[in-house]
Amino acid sequence: MAQAAGGFKVSFFTDNIQGTMVVLLMVIGVITVGTESNIDRRRIDQSGWLEPSLVGWHLVYILPVAIVTNNFFLSHFWMRTFGKSRSKALESDRRRLLNADKSAASKTDKDLWIGVSIASVAVACILTLVGVSGLIAGWSGVYEFGSEEGYLSLFLLLGQLPAWVVGIVLVLVVSLSTAAFDSLQSAMVSTGSNDIFRNKLNLWIIRACVVVIIFPVVVVALKSPDILQIYLISDLVSASLIPVLFVGLWERAYFWRGFEVVVGSLGGILTVFIFGTIYYGNAEQGSKLIILEGGLYTSDWGAFGAFVAAPVGGFLWAIGALVLRLFIQWTMARVKGRRFDALDKPVERSDSTPEFASEYAAGDGVPANGDVKPTSSEGKFF
């Protein structure tokens, strides 16, 4: 209800509180685990976790690629980065244009760099502490080697702590989950309203639709045999899409268009299938590699090859699509007797103000007729 009534501003306010609670979780967890856990040094050698392994070296590449590209794939990160207009004259317009769900995030590039730097250090510390908990669980005997409950190592470790500590940790963990969930809800509302319905549908209808969608999402999460596999599928999709998409953000790649992005992203997935078919020797295993049915912790090169094939194959398909598009446009220009302009650099505007800024009154940033008009400068798909 709070999210529906207040939108993204409420999310920012609650995230500040939940961020503080996460810090408390880390402090309480580190102190109690450090004082209550007894590490058996003999189990350190028995585990072999400090020895180099093929899976370990694979993950050195897979995890950064999967996590970084997937974060770029999530809209709520973009909302937090670019939600705040830098021009006060356009602040009212952007708030209306983005349906009040993309509000203040970073006012300047300096603020953005400071925020990202602080968040990076904090996240690195949290991930290190959570990751080390698996080692402590195994070496202290809480987790038995070879068990399939390795993903529960943190909670197995916390289960050995005093009851009052477990209670506090559960409250803080729920707060951490809601901190991510409400941001995803805001992103879904803004994406549906601004990108899908182009602000032509009432905001409350969009929010109601998001609430309805949440129920099957929860069911899928509860019924899924391995929720990690769902994340891996989205990681593989983002690894195919994000690299070719980011080429279009490069100023010198002004000739890059949506056609290359679509073909490249789909081609990256197809390349994973081709790699799997060749590597395993049959198409069935190649199709299973697309959904990473075997997971990440395998003794072969399948998962590693998939995360290499996705971005590399995506680039190759995108370059092929670029050549094909330019050839078609060149042929059409020759047939119709007009100049070939597909590689012409776009004309840069003299000011950095959006085209519709001049329509706004200096006082409130709203057009005289009350209509909000987005920029008419749109990119070309083909």
Side-chain angles (χ1 to χ4, degrees):
M1 293 298 296
Q3 192 68 16
F8 210 51
K9 284 187 175 181
V10 173
S11 176
F12 275 128
F13 176 75
T14 56
D15 282 355
N16 290 330
I17 299 176
Q18 291 157 347
T20 303
M21 298 179 74
V22 171
V23 174
L24 292 176
L25 169 63
M26 291 296 103
V27 173
I28 294 175
V30 169
I31 293 176
T32 52
V33 169
T35 55
E36 298 291 335
S37 299
N38 296 315
I39 295 179
D40 186 352
R41 295 184 178 275
R42 294 173 299 178
R43 294 179 64 89
I44 296 179
D45 295 331
Q46 294 175 5
S47 66
W49 290 342
L50 299 183
E51 300 295 328
S53 64
L54 181 63
V55 174
W57 286 112
H58 285 175
L59 294 179
V60 170
Y61 166 79
I62 292 176
L63 291 182
V65 172
I67 294 174
V68 171
T69 56
N70 191 254
N71 283 345
F72 281 117
F73 195 69
L74 300 177
S75 57
H76 64 278
F77 284 106
W78 291 100
M79 289 170 58
R80 293 176 178 278
T81 303
F82 299 109
K84 180 68 176 178
S85 172
R86 297 181 187 179
S87 173
K88 293 183 179 179
L90 294 176
E91 183 175 356
S92 176
D93 163 60
R94 288 184 61 83
R95 188 177 296 115
R96 294 177 58 195
L97 183 61
L98 303 184
N99 292 303
D101 275 329
K102 296 183 178 181
S103 54
S106 52
K107 295 182 180 180
T108 64
D109 286 345
K110 181 180 179 181
D111 294 336
L112 179 60
W113 278 107
I114 293 175
V116 169
S117 301
I118 295 175
S120 299
V121 173
V123 170
C125 294
I126 292 173
L127 291 180
T128 300
L129 294 174
V130 173
V132 170
S133 65
L135 300 177
I136 298 176
W139 294 340
S140 62
V142 176
Y143 163 74
E144 292 298 331
F145 301 142
S147 173
E148 296 182 356
E149 296 182 341
Y151 62 97
L152 295 175
S153 296
L154 174 62
F155 298 99
L156 292 174
L157 191 62
L158 294 176
Q160 307 299 313
L161 302 180
W164 67 271
V165 176
V166 175
I168 295 177
V169 168
L170 287 177
V171 173
L172 297 179
V173 168
V174 171
S175 298
L176 177 60
S177 300
T178 56
F181 187 66
D182 64 2
S183 296
L184 289 173
Q185 283 183 303
S186 293
M188 293 171 66
V189 171
S190 292
T191 300
S193 180
N194 187 63
D195 300 333
I196 298 178
F197 294 102
R198 296 296 181 183
N199 306 309
K200 295 180 180 179
L201 193 62
N202 187 280
L203 180 60
W204 285 97
I205 297 178
I206 302 294
R207 286 173 171 168
C209 292
V210 170
V211 173
V212 173
I213 293 174
I214 292 302
F215 289 99
V217 169
V218 173
V219 172
V220 171
L222 293 176
K223 297 294 183 179
S224 176
D226 186 2
I227 194 66
L228 177 61
Q229 187 175 354
I230 298 178
Y231 283 104
L232 292 177
I233 295 173
S234 67
D235 289 340
L236 198 58
V237 172
S238 58
S240 301
L241 170 63
I242 296 302
V244 293
L245 176 65
F246 264 55
V247 175
L249 299 181
W250 188 26
E251 185 178 359
R252 295 184 178 181
Y254 54 85
F255 49 83
W256 202 260
R257 296 183 181 176
F259 180 69
E260 288 82 70
V261 175
V262 172
V263 173
S265 58
L266 295 178
I269 300 297
L270 179 59
T271 305
V272 174
F273 169 74
I274 296 174
F275 164 77
T277 301
I278 296 175
Y279 182 74
Y280 291 111
N282 63 80
E284 182 180 359
Q285 292 295 325
S287 61
K288 290 182 178 180
L289 186 60
I290 296 178
I291 60 175
L292 291 169
E293 190 175 73
L296 291 179
Y297 309 106
T298 59
S299 58
D300 58 21
W301 291 77
F304 178 82
F307 278 95
V308 172
V312 174
F315 271 121
L316 295 177
W317 281 92
I319 293 173
L322 172 64
V323 174
L324 176 63
R325 176 177 63 81
L326 294 177
F327 176 74
I328 293 175
Q329 291 177 331
W330 177 82
T331 303
M332 292 177 63
R334 292 293 299 270
V335 171
K336 295 182 179 181
R338 56 179 174 82
R339 191 177 69 86
F340 174 67
D341 58 357
L343 294 177
D344 289 355
K345 189 174 183 180
V347 178
E348 296 184 2
R349 290 163 51 186
S350 58
D351 55 24
S352 59
T353 306
E355 293 179 3
F356 55 95
S358 60
E359 302 178 8
Y360 295 82
D364 57 5
V366 179
N369 59 5
D371 295 331
V372 177
K373 297 181 179 180
T375 176
S376 59
S377 178
E378 297 181 355
K380 296 180 180 180
F381 177 78
F382 193 89

